Amino acid sequence: MAQRDEKVPAAAAGESEPGPGPGRGRGRTGAGAATGAGAAAEAERGPSGAAAPFQPPEGGFGWVVVFAAAWCNGSIFGIHNSFGILYMMLQSDLGEGKKDPALEFKTAWVGSLAMGMIFFCSPIVSIFTDRIGCRTTAASGAAIAFIGLLSSSFTKSLEVRYFTYGILFGCGSSFAFQPSLVILGHYFKRRLGLANGIVAGGSCLISVPLPFFLKMVGSAIGLAHTFQVLSALMLIQIFLSMTYRPILPPSCDPQHDGRDKLGSRSVRQQCWAQTRKYFNLRVFRRKTYRIWAFGIATAVLGYLVPYMNLVKYVEKRFQETKKDWILLVCLGAMSGLGRLVSGRIGDCIPGLKKIYLQVASFMLLGLLCMMIPQCRGFEGVIVICLFLGLCDGFFTTIMAPIAFELVGPMQASQAIGYLMGLMAVPMTAGTPIAGYLNDYFGNYDAAFYFAGVPPIIGGLVLSVVPLVHQRMLKKQRLDSGKDKMLVSEAVVNGELLPGCPASEAHM
């Protein structure tokens, strides 16, 4: 008995070592690390010696970050969603003195490239966000977007604007936008949906009046000076990005433990190790994430078609040229309302059931796109635009909270990045396909019918995710129950064996 009692202090000392459980201290290895960390490390430890789980402040300086993220969303997507006005200005600027039958198709690629680059660059942005932080990544992206818009004002070549507006502004927008989604998870958890809703809804204070502003100012100062005015929005975003101060504790990276072993490996093994280090594909091991990402990528094939073609459609169908900007204002205003409402509703819906909001928004969005050619007047198109904007708000706001639910906060950046990368190709291809259908049939009816099909298919795919998740949880509970039964049987049998501690105690 005395010999067994002497082991108690050793076991108590061993409690400071991190175990395999998820609640153990990040980046600490044993009592020596806790002693070297001093009072700061002890403050983070709970009463049992394990590190206390990170708790976001749920406010405070986070509201300043919310304001900066709202400006980022409003300025970036306000410009992209107002491309219908810039599209008309580009055509009039390029069509002076010449008639090109493929001008609409060529001009559409400027906006499609810019929007596509936002999503195409997202996997790379997630790597930069994880390695150099949200603040540096966002500020660098805003600077690139500023250069792209400003340089677009000094050329009239459509090919050069493919690079300055499509590539530079698109890539810069991606680097500036994605950290604004990730940084909110550092300051909010319980109110994350509300914070995303405020960001998305507050951004509409910029994006809603921007089409009217471009329509009025663009005709007065011209396209070149309009690009210069828009570049000022990105200049302001450079300074606002400095507020993205990360507070989430860094996770323990087991690959750092094998850093000394790289010297003994071949060049191919070293390259593969570094590739796995930066391209974290662990999120694709989750079946629910794979289904969700595929459903979203399918649904956005026709996402940009209304934004790009509605202004031109009402001009040709209803000869409406003075009030066409109202359509984009309605889209932006109702999108803002939808984002505010969906953020609050998303906080009230537990777990992955939030996906049903996306399912409903995609299904309704597809039906509304198909109803546009059935409108007999300009007022009918306005009503459809109101509901289209509402669906857009619900889909956009709930995306980041679902990513946090699927993979957790430590892998959310990678999950969002890969998702947007998968969205890049269908989102970029949708508008040129609609332009081709318009050229082939001579009207936009087929384009809007085409735009309505992918959201409906994507919504059906997304509806499967909560069901698969429940099945996986049920299987895990069954497996854990079997393990507990095996453990209990082993304990009972052990008590019957001679020499076990229990039998010694009874003796």
Coordinates of all heavy atoms in Angstrom, one line a residue, residues 28 83 102 148 167 191 255 444:
R28 N 2.1 23.3 -25.9 CA 2.9 23.1 -24.6 C 3.2 21.6 -24.5 O 2.4 20.7 -24.8 CB 2.0 23.5 -23.4 CG 1.8 25.0 -23.4 CD 0.9 25.4 -22.2 NE 0.8 26.8 -22.1 CZ -0.2 27.5 -22.7 NH1 -1.0 26.8 -23.6 NH2 -0.3 28.8 -22.6
F83 N -21.2 46.1 -62.0 CA -20.5 46.1 -63.3 C -21.5 46.2 -64.5 O -21.1 46.5 -65.6 CB -19.7 44.7 -63.4 CG -18.9 44.6 -64.7 CD1 -17.7 45.3 -64.8 CD2 -19.3 43.9 -65.8 CE1 -17.0 45.3 -66.0 CE2 -18.6 43.8 -66.9 CZ -17.4 44.5 -67.0
A102 N -19.2 41.0 -81.9 CA -18.8 40.2 -80.7 C -18.4 41.1 -79.5 O -17.8 40.6 -78.6 CB -17.7 39.3 -81.0
G148 N -5.0 48.1 -59.5 CA -5.7 47.6 -60.7 C -6.8 48.6 -61.2 O -6.9 48.9 -62.4
I167 N -7.7 40.9 -63.8 CA -6.7 40.1 -63.0 C -6.3 40.8 -61.8 O -6.4 40.3 -60.7 CB -5.5 39.8 -63.9 CG1 -5.9 39.1 -65.2 CG2 -4.5 38.9 -63.1 CD1 -6.6 37.7 -64.9
R191 N -22.1 35.0 -31.3 CA -22.7 36.1 -32.1 C -22.1 36.1 -33.5 O -22.2 37.1 -34.2 CB -22.5 37.4 -31.5 CG -23.2 37.6 -30.1 CD -22.9 39.0 -29.6 NE -23.6 39.2 -28.3 CZ -23.5 40.3 -27.6 NH1 -22.7 41.3 -28.1 NH2 -24.2 40.5 -26.5
Q255 N 4.0 19.2 -37.9 CA 5.0 19.2 -38.9 C 6.2 19.9 -38.5 O 7.3 19.7 -39.1 CB 4.4 19.7 -40.2 CG 3.3 18.8 -40.8 CD 2.7 19.4 -42.0 OE1 3.0 20.5 -42.4 NE2 1.8 18.6 -42.6
Y444 N -32.4 37.3 -74.4 CA -31.8 36.9 -73.2 C -32.7 35.8 -72.5 O -32.4 35.4 -71.4 CB -31.6 38.1 -72.2 CG -30.5 38.9 -72.5 CD1 -30.6 40.1 -73.2 CD2 -29.2 38.6 -72.1 CE1 -29.5 40.9 -73.5 CE2 -28.1 39.4 -72.4 CZ -28.2 40.5 -73.1 OH -27.2 41.3 -73.3

